[in-house]
Amino acid sequence: MSVRVRYAPSPTGSPHIGNLRTAIFNWLFARHAGGTFIARLEDTDRTPGRYVPEGIYELEASMRFFGALPDEWWVYGGESAPYIQSHNLPYYQLCAERLIREEKAYRCYCTRERLDAMRTEQQARGLPTGYDRRCRHLSEEDRARNEAEGITSVVRLAMPLEGYTVVKDEIRGDITYENRLQDDQVLLKTDGFPTYFLACAADDHRMGITHILRGDDWLSSAPKLIQVFVALGFDVPKMVHLPLIIGPDKKKLSKRHGATQFLDFVDQGYLPEALMNFICLLGWSAGDENRELFTVPELIERFSIEGISEHPAIFDYEKLKWMNGHYIRGCEPGRLIGMCLPYLRKAGLIPEAPLSSASDDEKETYRIEVLDYVRRVIPLEQERMKMLSEVVDLVGFFFAELDYPNGYEEKAVAKWLKVPYLKPLLEKQIEVYSALAEWTPEALEAATREISEGLTLKFAEVIHPTRVAVTGRTVGPGLFETLWAMGKERTITRLKTVSERA
RNA sequence: GGGGAUAUCGUCUAGAGGUUAGGACGAGGGAUUUUCAGUCCUUAAGCCGGGGUUCGAUUCCCCGUAUCCCUACCA
C-alpha cells in the first residue's frame, strides 16, 4: 500500500517552527517513499482568538517557502476533498450519530458549570480528574426528557471500562495504556463541530492515511484517538511521534527565546534551504555519516523513521545562524541581492522602486543609481552575513549620509582619526585619488602603497584611518573593494569632510 | 493527584555488549590577511545516580532522580 501522510495544522496564526518541522518530516517521508503528502486544515475550534482565518495564508506561504508543497490540499484540491474540516461538518455528525446508534458513544447533557465544579472538587481532593460518566447510563426517559426540554448536549465516546489500548509507536515501540484511566472524550461539541479526536480519525480514514507523524505532545492522548478509530471500525494508521523542539531553558519554545513562528524567521532573513536543513537535524539524523549539510534531494534520499530520535531537541539559534551564513555564502549574488533589497528599502537606505507607470528615465536612473550600486556593494558583505536582516547594518555606511563626526563610531574615531599624521595623509590621498585614471581596487591599492611609502608610514597605519574616515567604522570588507564600490566622488567627499574637520 | 515519554560533551547528535566514545555548532589556541568575516590546523569538553544480567556495560532489565507532555465542549 502506498504511503499517504498528512500535515494537519490549525489556523491559529503564523505557523510555529515545531509544526513546520512536522510538515517537513511528513513531506520528506512521503517523497522518500514515493507516496502522497496531504495538507488538511483542522479548523474545528471556533473560539475567538484561537481561530484566526488569516492563518491559512501563513500556512500556505510557509509551505511554499520550503517548497514542501502538498500533493493534495485545500489550495488545489485532490481526490479526498474537502481538505477543510469546517466544510465537512455533516460527515462528522453522521459518524457521531452512528456511534450513538451502536452505543459506542452517548449524549452528555452536563453543563460546563457542573463539569468545572466536578473538576475543581477532584483537584481539591487530590483525585484524578476526568468526567464521571454521569450521562453514560441515562435511562431512555431521562434522555427523552432532556431532549424535550431542549437541553444542549455533546457527544462523548463510551470508552471501554476494562482492558488496555496499545499505542504501536514506530520509534518508541508498544506503549500500553489502561482503558479505565481514559476519559470519555467529547467527540462532538454543542456547536455541532467535531473535536480533534473525531475529526482526525474520521478524516484520516476518509483520506486513506497510512502513517501519522505528529508531535510527541500527542502521545499521551493517542489511546483516546485509537479508541475512536476502533469504535468507528476504522484501521488505525501507523503512528510516529516526533520529539518536541524546546527552548534553551528546556521549556516550550516561546517568543522570548527568539524567532518561533514562520514570519519571525522570514523577517530575520533565514534562507529556506538553511531553515530546512537545520530543522531536519532537530530530532533526526542521517546516521553515521558525520555530516550535517544536506541539500533537499539528499534529505529526501536519506530520510527515514529509524533516524528520528526520541528525546526533545533544544533549538540552537547559534547553529542556525552558522548554517544560514553557510548558505548565504554559497548563494548566487543575484539571488542574494534580490533577497536583500526589501531590507534596504524598509530601512530607508534605498528608495522604493519606481512604479510601472513611471517614465523610462526615472526607471533608468533608479537602475543606475540604486540597483547598480546595490549590486556592487552586497557581494562585498556576502561572506560576513549570517542573516539577511543584517544587511542593513553591514552595508548601511555605503548609503547613509556620513557627516563626520556624525554617524562615526566613537571608538573608531578615537583610535584612528586622532593619529598625528592624519591630516597630511588624508590630503595626500585626496590629491592622489582625485588624479587616479582608473578607479579599481588594484589601482587604489597600488596608489595607497605609494602614499604609505612616501609618508614613511606602515601600510596598516594608512589602511585603518582611511577605513574609518570613509566608513565610520573599523570593520568591513577589504578597504580597496570598499573604496572602489563607493566610487570616486563619495570617497573623496568623505575624505575631505574628515580632513577639514580633523 | 493520575498517566505517559525521555536521559551521550554547554547545544544538535553518531553509537545498537568489547570503540582512543566519532562529527557539527559554540568556546580556547595557532596560521593566513588590511580590520571583521571566511578558510585551514589545533585544544578542552560527555555516557544522570544506584542496583542487577554478563567474562565484560554508554549500550539490556529494574529502581531512583530530573525534565517534558497529557489529564478542556484546544488542537
Side-chain angles (χ1 to χ4, degrees):
Chain A
M1 184 168 52
S2 93
V3 164
R4 283 175 71 82
V5 292
R6 73 343 188 240
Y7 166 50
S10 296
T12 53
S14 188
H16 187 270
I17 193 71
N19 292 112
L20 259 21
R21 192 201 49 174
T22 300
I24 287 172
F25 277 22
N26 273 283
W27 177 73
L28 287 175
F29 182 62
R31 285 292 166 275
H32 178 84
T36 305
F37 175 52
I38 298 164
R40 175 175 81 212
L41 228 221
E42 307 222 326
D43 58 343
T44 56
D45 184 2
R46 314 309 268 195
T47 315
R50 282 206 293 261
Y51 175 56
V52 184
E54 309 81 61
I56 189 171
Y57 301 113
E58 291 297 327
L59 250 9
E60 293 168 19
S62 63
M63 316 269 282
R64 293 203 169 91
F65 179 78
F66 288 109
L69 291 176
D71 301 297
E72 304 175 17
W73 61 335
W74 59 84
V75 178
Y76 31 75
E79 61 190 38
S80 302
Y83 296 92
I84 297 182
Q85 293 185 326
S86 64
H87 294 184
N88 205 201
L89 262 23
Y91 169 59
Y92 311 113
Q93 289 158 1
L94 247 32
C95 288
E97 280 160 25
R98 199 183 99 216
L99 290 178
I100 292 172
R101 226 170 24 244
E102 295 171 358
E103 298 188 330
K104 290 169 179 164
Y106 60 92
R107 289 196 183 281
C108 168
Y109 302 90
C110 294
T111 62
R112 286 174 199 263
E113 290 68 36
R114 189 184 100 77
L115 263 15
D116 288 344
M118 179 191 68
R119 190 160 34 242
T120 307
E121 163 103 19
Q122 288 166 337
Q123 281 166 346
R125 295 173 55 193
L127 261 32
T129 55
Y131 181 53
D132 59 8
R133 301 186 163 113
R134 181 201 259 202
C135 294
R136 182 157 171 170
H137 302 294
L138 243 37
S139 64
E140 277 306 320
E141 301 77 68
D142 288 337
R143 218 171 304 234
R145 192 176 60 247
N146 284 334
E147 291 296 330
E149 285 177 24
I151 299 175
T152 56
S153 62
V154 299
V155 177
R156 285 183 186 270
L157 180 71
M159 183 64 66
L161 272 6
E162 295 173 344
Y164 301 86
T165 300
V166 178
V167 176
K168 295 174 179 295
D169 188 86
E170 295 293 303
I171 54 187
R172 281 160 228 273
D174 291 358
I175 304 159
T176 303
Y177 294 83
E178 276 191 84
N179 288 154
R180 63 181 186 86
L181 265 18
Q182 303 302 321
D183 215 349
D184 278 3
Q185 185 60 40
V186 171
L187 300 178
L188 203 63
K189 303 181 258 189
T190 46
D191 63 1
F193 279 77
T195 59
Y196 171 81
F197 296 92
L198 208 214
C200 181
D203 273 347
D204 281 347
H205 170 76
R206 189 173 64 80
M207 296 178 175
I209 299 303
T210 57
H211 302 255
I212 298 177
L213 276 73
R214 50 167 6 184
D216 187 28
D217 46 346
W218 291 100
L219 187 56
S220 299
S221 63
K224 291 201 287 196
L225 213 216
I226 288 175
Q227 285 301 334
V228 178
F229 273 102
V230 171
L232 253 8
F234 298 157
D235 288 339
V236 183
K238 289 196 190 311
M239 291 188 152
V240 183
H241 288 93
L242 276 17
L244 259 22
I245 298 176
I246 57 181
D249 56 0
K250 296 182 193 289
K251 296 270 190 274
K252 213 177 232 170
L253 201 58
S254 73
K255 273 116 288 180
R256 73 197 151 77
H257 295 127
T260 55
Q261 297 184 306
F262 172 64
L263 271 185
D264 301 333
F265 289 96
V266 174
D267 285 347
Q268 292 182 17
Y270 290 103
L271 306 198
E273 58 268 46
L275 215 41
M276 166 81 85
N277 192 159
F278 179 73
I279 278 178
C280 286
L281 263 27
L282 290 178
W284 175 80
S285 156
D288 56 7
E289 255 191 289
N290 278 161
R291 187 144 88 92
E292 54 288 312
L293 263 11
F294 295 102
T295 63
V296 168
E298 287 171 333
L299 288 169
I300 291 173
E301 187 188 336
R302 279 154 239 258
F303 189 81
S304 75
I305 288 171
E306 293 74 58
I308 298 174
S309 55
E310 44 254 53
H311 51 268
I314 294 176
F315 196 99
D316 184 355
Y317 289 93
E318 285 306 311
K319 189 161 184 175
L320 205 214
K321 271 195 193 178
W322 161 77
M323 197 173 274
N324 204 51
H326 166 83
Y327 282 105
I328 286 180
R329 267 172 258 131
C331 206
E332 284 290 324
R335 176 175 172 228
L336 212 217
I337 290 158
M339 291 190 294
C340 287
L341 285 175
Y343 292 92
L344 299 179
R345 292 205 180 97
K346 197 173 172 198
L349 257 24
I350 61 171
E352 291 296 328
L355 300 172
S356 53
S357 59
S359 70
D360 287 349
D361 273 3
E362 273 180 86
K363 287 179 188 165
E364 182 67 0
T365 305
Y366 185 79
R367 193 180 65 72
I368 294 171
E369 291 187 358
V370 178
L371 295 185
D372 282 355
Y373 189 40
V374 171
R375 267 195 274 268
R376 246 182 303 156
V377 158
I378 301 282
L380 297 185
E381 291 287 11
Q382 184 160 1
E383 61 182 19
R384 249 163 299 262
M385 212 183 294
K386 298 271 197 334
M387 300 186 285
L388 298 177
S389 55
E390 290 173 347
V391 73
V392 171
D393 188 52
L394 253 18
V395 304
F397 65 84
F398 278 105
F399 300 90
E401 284 307 319
L402 278 187
D403 184 27
Y404 182 69
N406 296 323
Y408 281 64
E409 279 176 15
E410 254 177 67
K411 274 187 227 158
V413 171
K415 184 162 187 194
W416 291 111
L417 295 189
K418 300 297 178 193
V419 293
Y421 58 85
L422 183 72
K423 207 166 168 76
L425 170 64
L426 294 181
E427 282 170 357
K428 185 71 184 168
Q429 285 176 303
I430 292 164
E431 179 198 328
V432 174
Y433 291 168
S434 298
L436 217 52
E438 215 190 347
W439 192 262
T440 62
E442 295 74 26
L444 282 159
E445 175 161 2
T448 307
R449 285 200 186 272
E450 270 184 44
I451 293 172
S452 85
E453 281 164 26
L455 295 174
T456 60
L457 290 169
K458 284 188 221 158
F459 196 44
E461 290 174 318
V462 172
I463 292 268
H464 298 307
T466 308
R467 175 179 287 107
V468 176
V470 156
T471 70
R473 46 173 70 188
T474 55
V475 302
L479 179 62
F480 304 109
E481 280 82 14
T482 302
L483 298 184
W484 163 77
M486 285 208 317
K488 186 185 255 188
E489 194 187 328
R490 209 182 250 105
T491 300
I492 302 290
T493 303
R494 290 186 181 180
L495 289 175
K496 274 185 178 162
T497 307
V498 176
S499 172
E500 284 160 12
R501 299 176 189 176

